[in-house]
């Protein structure tokens, strides 16, 4: 086999089976609990790379040796890479749980108490250091069915939405 053939086969395979590197984050203000409810969808294979780089350990997302340890590491990683500021107040995020859906996983987070958002600043650096071309889409819903959106990536890790 020619040495140059393997990289091109790998490139074609990656383009066909995993052609883009995205995360999707949906943020909704719950007026009853006065908290932000956050759902974040990330490709789990990419997350294994990012988590492995962060922890210095091999991460098996689908079959963890220690599920409690994985949840703790996920909490730490997601807190580090997701920051939300509402009306100038930095909120604390807590991982409630997650579920795997085919090639991605949904993570469910909740913020500390917040007033009704007039401005929401989001910093999302999930996988930006680990995956070339990673982009993070953020939809913010503030008591409506229509979101305001941000497209974040390397060099533009944060953005603000005014209501």
């Amino acid at each position: 086999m020619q040495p140059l053939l393997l990289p091109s086969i790998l490139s074609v395979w990656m383009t066909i089976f995993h052609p883009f590197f995205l995360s999707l984050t949906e943020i909704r203000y719950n007026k009853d609990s006065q908290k932000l409810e956050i759902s974040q969808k990330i490709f789990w294979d990419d997350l294994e790379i990012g988590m492995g780089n962060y922890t210095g350990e091999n991460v098996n997302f689908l079959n963890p040796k220690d599920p409690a340890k994985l949840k703790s590491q996920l909490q730490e990683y997601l807190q580090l890479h997701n920051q939300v500021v509402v009306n100038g107040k930095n909120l604390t995020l807590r991982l409630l749980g997650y579920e795997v859906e085919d090639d991605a996983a949904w993570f469910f987070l909740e913020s500390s108490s917040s007033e009704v958002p007039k401005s929401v600043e989001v910093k999302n650096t999930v996988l930006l250091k680990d995956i070339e071309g990673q982009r993070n889409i953020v939809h913010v819903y503030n008591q409506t069915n229509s979101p305001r959106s941000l497209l974040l990536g390397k060099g533009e890790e944060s953005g603000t939405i005014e209501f």
Side-chain angles (χ1 to χ4, degrees):
M1 184 153 88
Q2 297 173 339
L4 296 176
L5 188 58
L6 184 58
S8 72
I9 290 171
L10 184 59
S11 294
V12 169
W13 183 85
M14 289 297 287
T15 301
I16 292 171
F17 292 105
H18 196 31
F20 49 88
F21 302 98
L22 292 172
S23 76
L24 172 65
T25 303
E26 295 183 347
I27 301 173
R28 297 177 190 272
Y29 180 73
N30 182 323
K31 65 180 180 179
D32 294 330
S33 68
Q34 297 182 333
K35 295 180 180 183
L36 296 180
E37 297 171 345
I38 301 169
S39 302
Q40 190 166 50
K41 187 175 186 178
I42 305 170
F43 288 108
W44 59 260
D45 59 336
D46 296 340
L47 186 59
E48 284 181 336
I49 293 168
M51 294 274 303
N53 291 340
Y54 175 69
T55 64
E57 300 174 6
N58 189 18
V59 175
N60 184 335
F61 189 77
L62 297 179
N63 298 303
K65 290 179 186 174
D66 185 348
K69 180 179 178 182
L70 176 63
K71 186 173 180 185
S72 174
Q73 289 172 328
L74 284 166
Q75 168 73 36
E76 199 174 303
Y77 181 85
L78 293 173
Q79 272 186 329
L80 177 66
H81 291 286
N82 289 288
Q83 293 155 11
V84 180
V85 177
V86 173
N87 304 339
K89 180 183 175 192
N90 195 18
L91 302 181
T92 302
L93 304 179
R94 181 173 65 97
L95 178 65
L96 300 175
Y98 65 91
E99 60 185 55
V100 176
E101 179 183 276
D102 298 321
D103 56 354
W106 279 100
F107 299 89
F108 306 103
L109 301 109
E110 182 179 72
S111 77
S112 52
S113 293
S114 169
E115 23 180 77
V116 175
K118 293 177 184 146
S119 73
V120 178
E121 181 182 346
V122 178
K123 183 174 184 181
N124 182 333
T125 58
V126 168
L127 298 174
L128 293 183
K129 290 182 182 177
D130 307 295
I131 306 291
E132 186 67 34
Q134 175 73 28
R135 303 291 280 179
N136 297 320
I137 300 168
V138 179
H139 296 307
V140 180
Y141 298 82
N142 185 13
Q143 303 177 41
T144 68
N145 290 329
S146 300
R148 304 278 308 275
S149 302
L150 299 167
L151 179 60
L152 305 175
K154 194 168 258 185
E156 194 172 349
E157 294 85 4
S158 64
T160 302
I161 293 175
E162 303 285 339
F163 293 98

